Amino acid sequence: MTTMTTGTSRADANRRRILDVALAELLRDPDASMDQIARAAGVVRRTVYGHFPSREALISTLVDEAVEALSAAHAAGREGVREPAEAVARSVLAVWAIADRYRLLVALAQRTVTMQGIRERLAPVREASIGLLQQGLEEDVFSSPLPAPALAYVHEQTLFAVMEAVNDGLLAAQEAGRCAAVTVLTAAGVPASKATGLVAKLNA
């Protein structure tokens, strides 16, 4: 039993190391091969394939972990905040605090996981956003011709677009969180001056 437990622990540690190294390698070189990842992780190629049958499977697992981290940040950002605009702004800022680590991964994942796959993974985050947006629309904090579910899609795509803008060198990474939060709020009908002031206060 002890031998089996030790073997399992070693396998889990190897898997964790492969994932951590793979994320770093793919962010450094989006075309990094399984061989490169194995060398960087200090394991043989067979070990990597023992955990992940393909490069796509490895990237898919990394995307799952990224979505889990982003979902947790989104929930933590809005926790205990009653006012819808502040809750939305806090959740975007919280997501962006860790999203910079994953933005290149998301761009890479679009080649393998597909945007539909990413949308499906983000369903819980979207549902939470819909609730916030619906509350804001009912309280006239937000104003949009779009119903809350459609507006949540617009916000989601806005965040992806901001990630791409940073990836393409059109926006400084250190400005992205603030810009994303203000853009999301203005898309929901919050006046630009009010959105900018709120985000500046929260981001101080």
Side-chain angles (χ1 to χ4, degrees), residues 71 74 78 119-135 148-150 152-153 156:
S71 297
H74 189 273
R78 67 178 188 277
R119 287 194 189 101
E120 289 170 1
R121 287 166 165 81
L122 287 171
V125 176
R126 191 180 309 115
E127 287 301 315
S129 295
I130 289 170
L132 277 177
L133 293 170
Q134 185 61 47
Q135 178 190 346
Y153 265 102
E156 188 176 293

Side-chain angles (χ1 to χ4, degrees), residues 6 11 18 21 25 92 103 121 125 161 166 189 197 200-201 203-204:
T6 302
I18 290 166
V21 169
E25 286 297 302
V92 173
R103 58 184 170 79
R121 287 166 165 81
V125 176
V166 176
K201 176 184 173 183
N203 208 28

Side-chain angles (χ1 to χ4, degrees), residues 21-192:
V21 169
L23 178 60
E25 286 297 302
L26 289 167
L27 296 185
R28 183 183 61 79
D29 175 12
D31 295 317
S33 67
M34 295 289 264
D35 283 341
Q36 285 176 256
I37 291 167
R39 284 196 299 273
V43 298
V44 297
R45 188 168 179 264
R46 185 178 61 212
T47 299
V48 176
Y49 278 105
H51 291 285
F52 307 100
S54 66
R55 188 172 181 274
E56 289 72 22
L58 174 58
I59 292 173
S60 183
T61 301
L62 287 171
V63 171
D64 284 340
E65 290 198 345
V67 169
E68 185 177 332
L70 294 174
S71 297
H74 189 273
R78 67 178 188 277
E79 184 178 5
V81 183
R82 173 68 180 81
E83 205 282 316
E86 182 178 342
V88 167
R90 284 186 181 278
S91 66
V92 173
L93 290 171
V95 163
W96 210 272
I98 64 170
D100 192 53
R101 183 180 184 218
Y102 297 113
R103 58 184 170 79
L104 290 172
L105 175 64
V106 171
L108 175 64
Q110 291 175 28
R111 306 183 201 170
T112 56
V113 180
T114 76
M115 281 307 298
Q116 183 59 33
I118 294 172
R119 287 194 189 101
E120 289 170 1
R121 287 166 165 81
L122 287 171
V125 176
R126 191 180 309 115
E127 287 301 315
S129 295
I130 289 170
L132 277 177
L133 293 170
Q134 185 61 47
Q135 178 190 346
L137 289 169
E138 291 173 356
E139 295 178 1
D140 293 325
V141 174
F142 301 140
S143 175
S144 174
L146 297 174
L151 189 55
Y153 265 102
V154 169
H155 283 184
E156 188 176 293
Q157 293 306 304
T158 296
L159 294 179
F160 282 131
V162 172
M163 285 185 183
E164 291 289 357
V166 176
N167 289 347
D168 290 344
L170 303 175
L171 177 65
Q174 61 268 29
E175 295 295 320
R178 177 185 60 78
C179 292
V182 172
T183 301
V184 163
L185 288 174
T186 55
V190 177

